[in-house]
């Protein structure tokens, strides 16, 4: 499908850092420390940001051990902080800790939206 080819091309160019047209989502590979549904959450964050046109980098990381360091160059971070808990970051600063997993994506989106109004 030619339309899908266009979307695929845009994703490849964005991943290569050549052309950014909206959010760039990064994630870590899962490991034994991950106590959240990292893959499912990353897919949900990506889907919820689909209509966002801001050139931002959003990191979805699995654990509090490596997550903050690995996402240090992201604009916003969503980091697993234990079983079913998330910490949210704006750049390297932790904004809120131990948010229940079921509330965290909405809080992340609110954080991104509130920053865009400034």
């Amino acid at each position: 499908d030619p339309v899908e080819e266009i979307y695929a091309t845009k994703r490849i160019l964005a991943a290569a850092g050549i052309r950014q047209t909206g959010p760039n989502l990064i994630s870590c590979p899962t490991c034994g420390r991950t106590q959240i549904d990292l893959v499912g959450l990353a897919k949900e964050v990506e889907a919820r940001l689909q209509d966002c046109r801001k050139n931002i980098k959003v990191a979805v990381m699995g654990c509090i051990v490596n997550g903050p360091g690995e996402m240090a160059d992201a604009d916003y971070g969503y980091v697993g902080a234990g079983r079913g808990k998330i910490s949210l970051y704006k750049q390297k600063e932790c904004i809120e800790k131990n948010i229940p997993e079921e509330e965290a994506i909405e809080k992340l989106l609110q954080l991104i939206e509130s920053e865009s109004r400034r």
Side-chain angles (χ1 to χ4, degrees), residues 79-104:
V79 180
R83 192 169 312 281
K85 301 291 182 185
I86 306 297
S87 291
L88 293 181
Y89 286 76
K90 182 175 183 302
Q91 294 165 336
K92 296 178 185 176
E93 181 184 351
C94 184
I95 301 298
E96 191 171 346
K97 295 180 180 181
N98 298 319
I99 303 165
E101 193 173 323
E102 56 275 358
E103 299 172 16

Side-chain angles (χ1 to χ4, degrees), residues 20 22-28 38 41-50 52 54-61 67 70-79 86-91 104-105 107-109 111-113:
Q20 183 80 24
N24 183 16
L25 183 73
I26 59 172
S27 184
C28 66
L38 182 65
L41 291 168
K43 286 180 180 180
E44 186 175 348
V45 168
E46 183 176 41
R48 298 281 302 271
L49 288 173
Q50 187 174 16
C52 179
K54 291 182 273 182
N55 293 333
I56 55 174
K57 187 183 289 187
V58 179
V60 179
M61 311 308 269
E70 291 178 7
M71 54 109 347
D73 68 333
D75 298 301
Y76 302 95
Y78 181 104
V79 180
I86 306 297
S87 291
L88 293 181
Y89 286 76
K90 182 175 183 302
Q91 294 165 336
I105 290 178
K107 287 191 178 233
L108 172 66
L109 297 174
L111 176 63
I112 293 170
E113 183 62 31

